[in-house]
Every structure is written in C-alpha cells, then in structure tokens.
Amino acid sequence: MSVLVRRAVAADARELARMRQLSLTCPEEPWTRARDLPEGPWGEECGKTFAAMLGDQDTVAAFVVDAAPGRVAACALGFLLPRLPGPDSSKPFNGDISTVATDPAFRRRGYARAVVTALMNWMTVRGCKRINLTASSEGEPLYASLGFTTDEPRRSRPAE
C-alpha cells in the first residue's frame, strides 16, 4: 500500500501545532476538534512559528500525510543545522528531526514511517552528514528499523 506524503506549507501551521500537542502529550483518543489549536497561548504561538518556519524552504521542512482536506493524519518536521567541515566529511549540514506525530485514529498504517523517510530523503539530498532525533519509547522500534542508533536520549544515523 502506497502512502501519499506531501511537503507541508504555511497553511498547515494550525494542524502542525495540533500534531505537536499530540507528540508531546500522546493522548489515547484522537483529538476531535481538528481545527482547534492547543489550549493556552502557546498553541497560537506554535501555529505562528510553524507558519514562519515553513517559509524557509532551504533549512526547514515538514512532511505530512493528509487525513482529509485541512486535517493532518501524520507529520514530521526537520531542520538542517550548519556544520563545519571535518577530515571525514565536507557535508554542510546535520539534520534534526522533531515533532513526529500520528493522530491516534490513523496509527498502525505506516504513516510515521512514510513522513520520516520523506524527511530523511530531503535532508540527505541537501547534504546532511548525520540526522538526529529524540525518540519516545513508542517510536523506538520505528527509528531502529530506519537505522538510528541509541545515544541516550537521542537517536542518530548517518544520512548517507
């Protein structure tokens, strides 16, 4: 089964803020108010920050699987972080993966794998030497299967 993944745009900012809350709280039930921002002022600020960050097409990307128009089922956000050349590599970036989340109503369908893989590919094409992330215990099997190794609490893998 093929999963349709697309690069997120600024119009996805509210949904990415909702997904960030999911990634931080891991509720058991889907959050049914899909268009609502997380409670409190941080939700609005988070949405605005996502909108601004997604305008930087060179060093920030998010990939999503849509659940319906205006609703995201899964996402992964990544940053390219400048690095100095070294004797083992002149690649200009390290990557950092953040806010990997799947709405509970859409789990166990391969969506997290699809968005993380799309993000890793984007990072690799742009010249990443290493990709890092911080994993929850729930996400550890996925990241291990993608080649990440443990360096508590971060996971990293060569970008190839």
Side-chain angles (χ1 to χ4, degrees):
M1 178 177 135
S2 178
V3 177
L4 182 60
V5 176
R6 69 174 175 83
R7 188 161 177 188
V9 296
D12 296 311
R14 291 178 64 86
E15 271 294 280
L16 291 172
R18 180 181 74 84
M19 297 303 287
R20 179 147 176 83
Q21 174 155 335
L22 285 174
S23 77
L24 297 173
T25 60
C26 299
E28 294 300 317
E29 297 299 319
W31 195 14
T32 58
R33 299 175 312 184
R35 298 230 180 246
D36 291 347
L37 286 170
E39 303 255 339
W42 82 270
E44 185 174 333
E45 182 178 339
C46 187
K48 288 178 183 177
T49 301
F50 272 122
M53 286 188 336
L54 292 173
D56 178 359
Q57 295 286 306
D58 294 330
T59 61
V60 179
F63 288 88
V64 298
V65 172
D66 289 317
R71 170 105 186 215
V72 170
C75 72
L77 174 72
F79 304 92
L80 297 179
L81 307 171
R83 65 175 295 278
L84 295 170
D88 64 335
S89 176
S90 63
K91 291 186 177 184
F93 299 108
N94 282 330
D96 189 62
I97 295 177
S98 173
T99 310
V100 176
T102 303
D103 189 299
F106 297 96
R107 291 187 178 158
R108 312 293 308 161
R109 299 181 191 189
Y111 292 175
R113 176 179 299 280
V115 294
V116 170
T117 299
L119 186 57
M120 289 172 23
N121 291 340
W122 176 82
M123 290 175 163
T124 300
V125 166
R126 276 150 190 81
C128 272
K129 174 179 172 29
R130 178 163 302 283
I131 300 171
N132 298 304
L133 60 85
T134 301
S136 66
S137 58
E138 184 179 5
E140 285 182 26
L142 167 65
Y143 303 124
S145 75
L146 291 171
F148 287 85
T149 58
T150 302
D151 182 17
E152 293 296 333
R154 298 182 64 81
R155 311 296 184 271
S156 63
R157 72 179 287 280
E160 296 168 21

